[in-house]
Amino acid sequence: MKNKLIIASMALLGTAGLTSCVADTEPRLDKPTEFVLNMPALGNQLYVFDADASGKSINDITFTVSQPNYGVAATPVYSVQVARSEADFAKWDEEQKLPADPDTPDAPEGDGTRAEGDYTGLPLTAMVDQTTTNAVITLDGEKFCNAVNAVYGLTMENVKDQPHPVAVRVYAEVENAPYSGIWSNPITIKVRSYIKPVPDKIYIIGACQGWDISKDAMYLEETEIGNRIYVGDYTIPAGQFMFRFYDELGSWDHFSIGSQVNDNPIDITVNGEAITELPEDGITLPCLQEVNGVNPKGSWNIPDWKGGKVHIEVNLNTNEVTFAAGQAKKIYVVGAFTGWDINSNKFALRETEEGSDVYTGTFTIAAGDFNFRFYRSLGDWETGSIGSQEPDAPLPISVTSAGTTVPAVNGKGNWQDEGWAGGDCSVSLDLNTMQVTFVKL
Amino acid sequence: MKQYKIFLAALAVVGLASCQQDVGDLGIEQKNPKETVIEGGSAVTVNIAEAIDGKTIDLPYYMSINTVGFMVPVVNVVPSENCPADAELSCVMEMAKDAAYTNAVQVALADNSAEGQTGYQFAASPSELNDAFKALFSQYVVSATPVYVRFAVYADIPTEGLATGTNVRFGGADYWYLSDRQLQVLPVAIPGLMMGTPGADGKDAANSMKLVRNEGNTSIKEYNGLVYITAPFTFEAIGSDLRLGMESEGVASAASTTPITAPSGAGLYYINLKEDGDNWAYSLTRVDAIGCIGDFNNWAGDAALTPNADFTVWTGNVDFAKEGGWKFRMNGGWDINLGGDTMSNLSFNGPNLPIEATGTYKVTLDISSLPYHCTLEAL
C-alpha cells in the first residue's frame, strides 16, 4: 500500500510538472497598467531641427521608455504621437470610439487625423510615421517634424523659425495582442521645426499664357533646391513666343526677370537673322534681375515663331537664359545598321505630335543590315523592347516601296528583310495600334 | 517495481526542471531609468572674451589685419558637467540698440578655440560685425557706440549609428546668456561717404555735423549738409586722410589748413562742397527758416518750424488738412529742401513725403545726425 501511494504521488508530481511546462512555453502577458516615457535629459532645452544646404533634414530626436509592466519580457512596437498640448491628448482620447470590450481596446488611429481640433481646424494629434521595437526611440527629424507640422499647420510660408511646445506620448503594443496596448504618460518639449523645402519656381508671363500676372500655369523649376538654375519644357503655339519671367506673381513691377530694363521685347536672332524656330543646341542670352530697385521688364520675342516645343533654362547665378528646341519623345532603333549598340541614341523615331504616340524616322540601311527592333529606353537589352514577336528571334519581312505594315509587340524579335538591297527606309511606329510600317524610299 | 519508482521520480524531476528552463527563455525586459534633466542654461557658462571685455571693439583695426582671416574674439563658452560629453557647441550673438532688443540683429559666431583650450572661444568676422552694426544704426555712425549683446548657445549631439544628430538650444527657446551686456563698437567708416566739419561746433571730425556725398552726381565728388557753425572749421573726410582748409574765399584745398569762417556769423548753414580740379569749391548758405509745404496748403507758403538752441531739431504744429505729398524747405525757397521715401531717411531734393491721414501733427525735424529724419505726432 505504501508503495502504491509513493507511485501515485510520483506520477501525479510528474504530470503536474509537465503540465505546468505546457503553460510556461506560452507565457501570458499581463494587461499593462504602467508605461513610462522619460523626460529626456535635454527635455528642458529647445530642440532645433535644421536642414543642410540641399534642404535635407540633419537632425533627430531620441526618447526612452521602459517596457510596459507585462509581467514578462516582451517586444512591443512603440509608436509616437504628438499634440499641441497634453490637454489635446485627453481631448483626442475622448473623441475615440468607446471600445466594445474594455479588455481589448482599439488600437490608436494611424494618422491621427480622425479627431479635428475645435478651434484651429487642425488635427488634435498626429502619429510620427516611424515605429520601433527599441525602448530607446530615435526618430528621424523629418518624420517627427512632419507630425509637429501637421498639428500646428506649419508650412514654409508660416514656420518663421518660431519654437512650438510639443506634447509627446508613446503607444506600446505587442503584435497580435491588442489587449497589450497602452499609452505612456505625456511629456512636453519645445521644438523649432523643420519643413522640407520644395524647389523654387519662376513663372513664365507672356503671350503664351495670356499675359496674366497671377497665372501660375507655366513655370520653370529649380533643378536642385537652392541652386538657382531653373528649367522647364513647354509647347508654345505659333506667334506666341513673347514672354519674360517673374520670381513672384501678382505685380507687374516687382520680381521680374527680363531681357532688358525697358518694357520692350528683344527679338531673338541668330547671326543677326530672324528665326522661326530654335536650334536643338539652344541660344544662350543674358537676362537681368532687379537692379537697384529697377525691375527689368523686357521680354524675349520670336515674332514669326512657327510653334513647337521649347526647352528653357534660366541660370540666375550667371544671369543667362537658354532657349532650345524641345526634344520630342523618342523610340530608339537598335539593330545591325546601328551596330547593335544599346546605348546609342543616334538612331531614333520621333513622336510626330505631342501625345500622338506615333513615331517616325527615315534611315539609310545597307544591304544585309535590315535587321533591328526598337527600345523605349536605352541601356538595358531586357527593358522596353518593341519587336516583331516576344522571343529574341528575327521575323522575316519583305519591305516594298508601297509599304509593308506588320504588327509590333513588346518583345525582342527583330524585323529582318534578307532581300533588302540597301537604301533609305521610312519607318512609322504607331503605339496606339501596335503596328509598324516600313516603306522603301 | 523499484525500476518503475525510479522512472516516475525521474519524470517528476524532468517536469519541474523543464519549467525552470522555460522562465529563462523569456529574455530581458527593456528598462530605461528616468534621466537627469538638464535644467535651464546650466550646461555651459559663458563669459565675454578678455580681448574685448571692457574695451572698444576697434573694427577698423580688426579689418586692417583681417587679410589672414583674423577674427574678433567675443565669448568663451565652457561646458559644465551637465553638458553632454560629445556635444559640439555653436554660438549666436544678438545685437541691439536697446535693452529691449528691439529690431535686434544676429551674428553667427565662429569656433575660434585655441589648441588645448578649456571649452570654446567663439569669434566674429570683423566684416560681419561691421555689417550688423550698420544694420542696427546706419552707415553714417562712425564713432564708438555702445550696443547691447546677448548669446544663444547650441549643442549638436551625434546619434550613434546615424548620420543625423540631436540639436538643442541650451536653456530653451528664449534663453540668452549674458543678456543686457554692453559692448563698445567702433565701426568702419565708408571712405568718401562723408565729410566732417571739425571745429564748426567745437567738435572733432567724427562727432561734428557732416556733409554727405551726393550720389546723384557721378561725374565729380560733391557733398552737402546742414552744419551748425559757431567757430571757424575745416573739412575732414571721414574714413580717409583728406583734410581741406581755406585756400581762398569759396575755395578749399588739401594744401591749406586755414579754417573757414562762417560769412554771416554763428548759425545753421547749408554747405555745398564739390571737387574742382585740384581744389574744392564750397558755398555756405545761412538757414534762418525751415518750414513744411505740400498738398495740405496747395504748395503755397510754409508752415514754419521753430529750432532748438543749436538749430539741430526743428518743431512745429502743422495742420495737414489734405492728404498728399509734402516736404521741408529752407528760407522759403526751393534751393534747399528735404524729402524722402520714408521719414527716417531724408535727403536733399528727395521725393515728396506722404501724408496718409489728415489732421494736425506735431512735426519734428532732426538734423543732428545722419540720416536726417522726422516724426509726426498726431495732436
Side-chain angles (χ1 to χ4, degrees):
Chain A
M1 184 60 190
K2 192 177 174 187
N3 280 343
K4 282 182 183 171
L5 281 173
I6 290 169
I7 290 165
S9 301
M10 282 183 167
L12 188 64
L13 188 59
T15 305
L18 289 172
T19 306
S20 65
C21 289
V22 171
D24 279 349
T25 56
E26 294 179 5
R28 179 171 175 81
L29 303 173
D30 292 342
K31 180 171 167 51
T33 57
E34 186 177 286
F35 176 38
V36 176
L37 166 63
N38 298 317
M39 173 62 103
L42 298 167
N44 277 350
Q45 318 298 317
L46 171 69
Y47 283 91
V48 178
F49 292 87
D50 274 328
D52 63 15
S54 70
K56 192 178 169 199
S57 164
I58 57 171
N59 296 116
D60 55 40
I61 188 167
T62 298
F63 301 99
T64 63
V65 295
S66 289
Q67 176 200 299
N69 57 339
Y70 293 127
V72 294
T75 311
V77 175
Y78 300 110
S79 36
V80 177
Q81 188 182 44
V82 302
R84 291 185 296 275
S85 67
E86 295 179 16
D88 281 355
F89 283 139
K91 284 186 197 169
W92 185 83
D93 289 342
E94 286 172 14
E95 292 185 7
Q96 304 311 297
K97 286 180 181 174
L98 285 173
D101 179 353
D103 290 331
T104 56
D106 288 340
E109 282 290 297
D111 59 7
T113 55
R114 188 170 58 171
E116 293 290 316
D118 55 359
Y119 73 96
T120 62
L122 297 167
L124 283 172
T125 69
M127 297 301 295
V128 178
D129 184 20
Q130 184 179 350
T131 60
T132 179
T133 55
N134 194 331
V136 178
I137 305 166
T138 297
L139 299 172
D140 175 74
E142 183 177 341
K143 289 176 176 171
F144 178 75
C145 289
N146 284 345
V148 173
N149 299 340
V151 294
Y152 275 105
L154 299 179
T155 65
M156 273 311 257
E157 285 70 38
N158 68 13
V159 64
K160 292 185 174 50
D161 286 346
Q162 291 298 311
H164 292 88
V166 176
V168 179
R169 66 179 181 175
V170 179
Y171 184 76
E173 184 182 299
V174 176
E175 201 173 7
N176 298 323
Y179 70 91
S180 66
I182 183 171
W183 286 104
S184 75
N185 57 296
I187 61 169
T188 298
I189 59 175
K190 278 203 168 180
V191 170
R192 198 178 78 192
S193 194
Y194 155 88
I195 293 180
K196 189 173 187 175
V198 293
D200 190 28
K201 292 174 181 173
I202 60 174
Y203 300 92
I204 297 172
I205 303 294
C208 52
Q209 54 87 260
W211 288 109
D212 185 342
I213 190 59
S214 299
K215 194 172 173 183
D216 61 359
M218 296 179 75
Y219 58 83
L220 312 184
E221 196 168 71
E222 265 183 329
T223 55
E224 285 180 32
I225 290 169
N227 74 353
R228 291 170 61 76
I229 298 172
Y230 303 80
V231 298
D233 292 88
Y234 288 98
T235 298
I236 297 180
Q240 295 186 11
F241 195 114
M242 181 159 66
F243 55 83
R244 56 183 178 266
F245 307 106
Y246 277 83
D247 199 17
E248 289 185 25
L249 297 173
S251 168
W252 289 107
D253 297 323
H254 297 92
F255 310 115
S256 60
I257 299 161
S259 60
Q260 61 179 349
V261 169
N262 295 337
D263 189 359
N264 290 310
I266 288 182
D267 291 351
I268 299 173
T269 59
V270 174
N271 299 324
E273 299 289 327
I275 58 174
T276 61
E277 60 185 348
L278 289 162
E280 276 197 16
D281 56 354
I283 297 171
T284 298
L285 300 165
C287 66
L288 297 178
Q289 300 179 63
E290 179 185 323
V291 181
N292 296 329
V294 178
N295 283 271
K297 293 169 73 174
S299 297
W300 289 273
N301 185 33
I302 300 179
D304 297 321
W305 172 249
K306 69 176 191 179
K309 293 189 76 172
V310 181
H311 176 77
I312 307 169
E313 178 173 319
V314 175
N315 186 332
L316 291 184
N317 305 299
T318 60
N319 289 320
E320 289 178 318
V321 56
T322 300
F323 302 103
Q327 299 291 305
K329 279 169 69 179
K330 293 177 181 176
I331 296 288
Y332 301 98
V333 184
V334 181
F337 80 95
T338 74
W340 291 109
D341 184 350
I342 188 61
N343 294 308
S344 172
N345 62 359
K346 285 173 65 179
F347 303 93
L349 310 178
R350 291 170 188 272
E351 194 174 30
T352 53
E353 195 175 314
E354 190 176 2
S356 69
D357 239 6
V358 176
Y359 301 81
T360 61
T362 299
F363 308 100
T364 301
I365 303 173
D369 278 352
F370 199 109
N371 184 13
F372 55 85
R373 59 180 179 265
F374 306 121
Y375 275 87
R376 296 175 195 271
S377 57
L378 294 170
D380 183 357
W381 288 107
E382 307 303 321
T383 304
S385 62
I386 300 168
S388 59
Q389 57 185 346
E390 280 191 35
D392 187 1
L395 191 70
I397 59 170
S398 179
V399 176
T400 66
S401 57
T404 303
T405 300
V406 292
V409 301
N410 293 319
K412 292 174 70 180
N414 304 330
W415 289 278
Q416 186 175 32
D417 184 351
E418 291 186 321
W420 180 259
D424 291 345
C425 178
S426 160
V427 182
S428 176
L429 172 65
D430 187 339
L431 291 183
N432 303 294
T433 60
M434 290 305 281
Q435 283 191 315
V436 59
T437 300
F438 304 100
V439 180
K440 182 173 173 53
L441 299 177
Chain B
M1 186 62 190
K2 196 171 182 181
Q3 285 176 334
Y4 199 58
K5 279 188 208 169
I6 291 168
F7 171 76
L8 287 173
L11 180 65
V13 169
V14 168
L16 292 171
S18 66
C19 294
Q20 288 175 338
Q21 191 66 44
D22 281 347
V23 170
D25 283 341
L26 291 174
I28 300 169
E29 292 184 30
Q30 294 189 77
K31 296 280 186 191
N32 287 300
K34 186 178 175 185
E35 299 175 76
T36 303
V37 178
I38 300 169
E39 293 300 330
S42 66
V44 295
T45 56
V46 178
N47 292 295
I48 297 289
E50 190 182 349
I52 63 166
D53 196 10
K55 305 179 179 79
T56 296
I57 300 175
D58 186 346
L59 288 176
Y61 165 74
Y62 282 113
M63 293 279 261
S64 69
I65 58 173
N66 196 39
T67 50
V68 290
F70 194 87
M71 305 287 277
V72 183
V74 178
V75 282
N76 295 320
V77 177
V78 180
S80 74
E81 59 184 12
N82 288 338
C83 184
D86 50 355
E88 189 174 319
L89 305 186
S90 58
C91 186
V92 170
M93 175 171 68
E94 188 161 90
M95 292 169 57
K97 282 181 179 177
D98 55 42
Y101 290 86
T102 313
N103 299 321
V105 294
Q106 292 195 345
V107 179
L109 303 181
D111 186 353
N112 195 47
S113 307
E115 190 81 25
Q117 175 176 341
T118 303
Y120 294 74
Q121 182 180 83
F122 289 104
S125 147
S127 60
E128 287 180 17
L129 204 50
N130 198 53
D131 290 345
F133 181 91
K134 283 188 165 56
L136 267 185
F137 295 92
S138 78
Q139 60 184 341
Y140 302 116
V141 176
V142 291
S143 53
T145 306
V147 296
Y148 284 86
V149 293
R150 57 186 184 180
F151 302 89
V153 178
Y154 295 82
D156 202 2
I157 303 143
T159 302
E160 194 176 345
L162 293 176
T164 54
T166 301
N167 188 264
V168 293
R169 176 178 172 171
F170 279 142
D174 305 316
Y175 191 88
W176 296 95
Y177 292 91
L178 301 182
S179 202
D180 298 345
R181 284 295 296 265
Q182 278 188 290
L183 296 176
Q184 192 85 359
V185 177
L186 178 64
V188 178
I190 300 172
L193 177 67
M194 291 180 289
M195 193 69 79
T197 55
D201 192 21
K203 295 173 181 167
D204 62 13
N207 292 294
S208 66
M209 295 178 77
K210 301 175 191 70
L211 317 183
V212 182
R213 176 85 188 264
N214 177 5
E215 302 287 354
N217 189 344
T218 55
S219 55
I220 59 167
K221 289 178 183 168
E222 179 180 9
Y223 294 86
N224 300 307
L226 293 163
V227 180
Y228 180 57
I229 301 174
T230 60
F233 65 97
T234 55
F235 295 112
E236 185 174 321
I238 306 297
S240 77
D241 295 331
L242 179 64
R243 290 177 172 78
L244 303 173
M246 188 177 78
E247 185 69 35
S248 61
E249 191 65 36
V251 178
S253 83
S256 171
T257 57
T258 305
I260 299 163
T261 303
S264 307
L268 182 68
Y269 284 83
Y270 169 77
I271 302 178
N272 174 265
L273 173 70
K274 57 187 168 189
E275 211 171 15
D276 183 14
D278 292 336
N279 293 328
W280 293 72
Y282 69 86
S283 65
L284 282 71
T285 306
R286 184 175 166 117
V287 175
D288 291 315
I290 298 181
C292 301
I293 182 172
D295 285 311
F296 67 90
N297 63 2
N298 295 317
W299 299 97
D302 295 335
L305 304 180
T306 305
N308 64 352
D310 62 3
F311 295 85
T312 55
V313 179
W314 294 67
T315 56
N317 296 342
V318 179
D319 181 11
F320 288 95
K322 271 167 61 179
E323 292 180 7
W326 65 285
K327 295 183 85 169
F328 295 101
R329 68 175 186 172
M330 285 67 178
N331 298 335
W334 287 108
D335 290 344
I336 311 166
N337 67 82
L338 287 171
D341 286 324
T342 68
M343 291 196 294
S344 60
N345 188 11
L346 304 178
S347 59
F348 293 109
N349 300 313
N352 293 344
L353 290 156
I355 190 80
E356 290 169 356
T358 58
T360 302
Y361 293 87
K362 178 184 179 184
V363 178
T364 302
L365 170 65
D366 188 338
I367 57 170
S368 64
S369 62
L370 293 165
Y372 300 149
H373 50 281
C374 68
T375 57
L376 296 184
E377 183 187 343
L379 296 174

